[in-house]
Amino acid sequence: MTTYDKLRPWAAIEACQCERLTEILLVDLLTDNPIHCASCRREVDPERLQLTDNEVESIVRWHSAASALYRLWLDSGEYEDYAKQKLLDPGGQINRQARELAIAMSIRLPTRFWYFHDADDADPTHCPVCGEQLDTTVDWGIGICRPCHVRI
Ligand SMILES: [Zn+2]
Ligand SMILES: [Zn+2]
């Protein structure tokens, strides 16, 4: 992320135009919609997935808390360390909820959630949830743990 990006999150919003969705990624990119296509990384409208009202509500709830933590971390102020610790905690609320959402959504389409990683730290080699080695044969990012629905 460049400094400019912090002032223009809206410019990055484009809807996924892929003919077929194969994989969904739940990730907070500082926009209103955390549902993204895992191949083009653009936003996927919840209607396209035929999500239920309950599912949308759960996504909104998770996203609001996850985004709040992420913003506290980005702010690099008094709450940075607290936020990072929570973002990295596999048993913490936002990671638990994201995983539950990904599992539920995977009934329709394989869904993974983006796991927080501070680019200043060494690249993770193992899944933060189960501790198994990450599958690094991904076209972008560091790796994937399919059983845990984690992408990083
Ligand atoms: Zn796409
Ligand atoms: Zn795992």
Side-chain angles (χ1 to χ4, degrees):
M1 182 187 270
T2 74
T3 313
Y4 290 143
D5 288 333
K6 292 175 184 171
L7 285 174
R8 57 181 186 205
W10 302 105
I13 302 175
E14 281 179 77
C16 156
Q17 306 287 343
C18 298
E19 233 166 84
R20 263 189 75 236
L21 287 167
T22 52
E23 185 186 329
I24 296 293
L25 188 65
L26 291 171
V27 55
D28 175 30
L29 295 177
L30 303 171
T31 70
D32 284 335
N33 180 3
I35 309 167
H36 289 254
C37 163
S39 13
C40 72
R41 283 183 268 182
R42 291 180 176 154
E43 293 192 6
V44 176
D45 192 273
E47 197 179 342
R48 197 172 164 194
L49 296 175
Q50 298 285 302
L51 296 179
T52 65
D53 287 351
N54 260 344
E55 286 172 320
V56 173
E57 290 300 333
S58 308
I59 291 170
V60 168
R61 258 200 320 273
W62 160 75
H63 184 227
S64 136
S67 186
L69 272 183
Y70 187 58
R71 281 160 204 257
L72 283 177
W73 175 74
L74 274 182
D75 178 58
S76 307
E78 189 179 333
Y79 305 110
E80 181 185 3
D81 290 340
Y82 170 82
K84 180 171 174 177
Q85 199 195 325
K86 297 296 173 191
L87 287 162
L88 286 172
D89 179 2
Q93 177 188 318
I94 55 149
N95 288 322
R96 273 199 336 263
Q97 284 177 349
R99 193 153 164 261
E100 283 164 17
L101 287 169
I103 291 169
M105 289 168 70
S106 291
I107 293 170
R108 295 184 183 78
L109 268 180
T111 305
R112 278 97 200 200
F113 70 102
W114 183 258
Y115 205 95
F116 174 81
H117 165 63
D118 185 342
D120 289 343
D121 297 336
D123 281 358
T125 51
H126 292 74
C127 170
V129 177
C130 70
E132 291 294 314
Q133 201 143 17
L134 289 167
D135 177 354
T136 54
T137 54
V138 285
D139 22 2
W140 57 272
I142 299 166
I144 187 168
C145 179
R146 287 182 179 82
C148 295
H149 295 264
V150 162
R151 271 197 83 146
I152 198 163

